[in-house]
């Protein structure tokens, strides 16, 4: 052959050379039949594990009736799911999307539009925080502010200012006459499970109230039960005006949502925003069943119990392998291990042991197992992490010898 063939799948990912063909609960099975314990859950998506019978039933029942009609007509599933979300959160209203990035876009547009209809079109800037991740659209990468995602995609979308998290002075200095909103992940996911202090998040609310700004929480990764409450903000004593949701809400079906108070949403009148697929009957059927499961008695309690058990087990693991692990971060079943060894190497080594985990910023590996995980499965995962760490301990000994 004369020249290399360009990959038919656009090569924007450094993919591991493994393909999964089926899943069951927290396990996935590769083409060769080998079994993996999935502590990545498709990046915090498969909150109920793989092939959850209730989600399969909800999806297939809807698939046999109607797939898509568009938003030119009423969609009963949207009415039911929005009602359930509104009843169980701060929000009054919901816009449905197919992804997290679109939920963020809706939030950006809503914040600008709010000030526009309030007679302040000059207020359009949104302050975000170093290490943030708000999706891969042009506005999303401007909001996230990460050079590695912005490079070559300029000019950067105007209107995003970034300050370090947990630094009130820097934030106060950044607020100006053009500021419209503050946007933050209560627990940064991609950025390395970098914890925001509750005091800082409460201070954000106070600053927003004082300056007439909207507070936007991006709970795409930390929401829908992952931290042990329906949404992470419930543990902070702070409510946002707008909240982005995705990942876990579809349990694996592409689904996102932008939740808001009636006040924050007051500019989003007919014709201002839309989506062909957003809120389609399939997504609504799955989302409704997913939310129903999360809110059933005992589910969130299970996340908290298994989360704290896992935390204990991981503390023991860190103590056993101090040359590999630096610290434990996170909450509920959104946990991270900051490493002394390169996280990409560790993720690959864990996969060889049959454990799937996900890298993040600040040399962290994320443990984002399905929320249905049992204590036995926690022990199984921690054993695999220990076996993986032992490889690195052994390598160090060989290198030192
Ligand atoms: C994953 C994620 C997004 C983007 O969601 P997509 O579905 O990939 O578009 C945005 N914000 C946060 C916090 C996320 O974790």
């Amino acid at each position: 052959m004369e020249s290399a063939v360009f990959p038919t799948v656009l090569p924007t990912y450094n993919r591991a050379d493994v393909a999964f063909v089926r899943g069951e609960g927290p396990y996935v099975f590769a083409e060769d039949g080998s079994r993996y314990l999935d502590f990545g859950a498709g990046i915090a998506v498969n909150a109920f594990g793989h092939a959850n019978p209730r989600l399969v039933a909800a999806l297939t029942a809807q698939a046999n009736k109607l797939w898509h009609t568009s938003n030119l007509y009423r969609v009963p599933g949207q009415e039911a799911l929005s009602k359930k979300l509104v009843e169980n959160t701060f929000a009054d209203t919901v816009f449905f999307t197919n992804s997290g990035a679109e939920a963020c876009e809706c939030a950006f547009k809503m914040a600008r539009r709010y000030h526009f209809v309030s007679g302040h079109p000059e207020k359009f800037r949104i302050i975000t925080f170093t290490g943030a991740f708000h999706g891969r659209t042009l506005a999303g990468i401007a909001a996230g502010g990460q050079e590695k995602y912005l490079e070559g995609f300029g000019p950067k979308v105007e209107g995003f200012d970034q300050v370090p998290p947990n630094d009130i002075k820097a934030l106060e200095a950044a607020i100006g006459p053009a500021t419209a909103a503050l946007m933050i992940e209560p627990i940064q996911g991609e950025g390395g499970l970098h914890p925001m202090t509750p005091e800082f998040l409460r201070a954000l609310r106070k600053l927003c109230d004082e300056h007439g700004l909207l507070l936007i929480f991006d709970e795409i990764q930390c929401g829908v039960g992952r931290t042990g409450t329906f949404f992470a903000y419930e543990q902070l004593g702070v409510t946002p005006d707008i909240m982005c949701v995705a990942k876990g809400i579809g349990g694996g079906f592409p689904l996102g949502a932008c939740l808001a108070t009636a006040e924050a949403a007051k500019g989003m009148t007919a014709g201002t925003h839309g989506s062909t697929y957003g809120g389609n009957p399939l997504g609504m059927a799955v989302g409704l069943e997913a939310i129903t499961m999360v809110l059933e008695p005992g589910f969130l309690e299970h996340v908290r119990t298994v989360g704290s058990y896992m935390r204990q087990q991981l503390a023991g693991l860190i103590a056993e392998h101090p040359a590999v692990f630096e610290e434990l971060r996170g909450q509920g079943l959104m946990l991270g291990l900051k490493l002394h060894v390169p996280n990409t190497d560790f993720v690959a080594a864990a996969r060889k042991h049959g454990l799937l985990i996900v890298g993040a910023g600040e040399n962290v590996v994320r443990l984002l197992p399905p929320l249905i995980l049992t204590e036995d499965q926690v022990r199984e995962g921690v054993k695999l992490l220990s076996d993986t760490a032992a490889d690195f301990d052994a390598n160090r000994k060989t290198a030192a010898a």
Side-chain angles (χ1 to χ4, degrees), residues 99-102 104 133-136 185 190 218 220-221 246-247:
S99 68
E102 291 166 286
C104 292
F133 184 77
H134 301 301
R136 299 290 204 110
E185 301 159 74
E190 312 288 320
D218 180 345
I220 289 170
Q221 197 158 147
K247 295 202 165 96

Side-chain angles (χ1 to χ4, degrees), residues 1-6:
M1 243 185 283
E2 292 237 314
S3 63
V5 179
F6 200 80

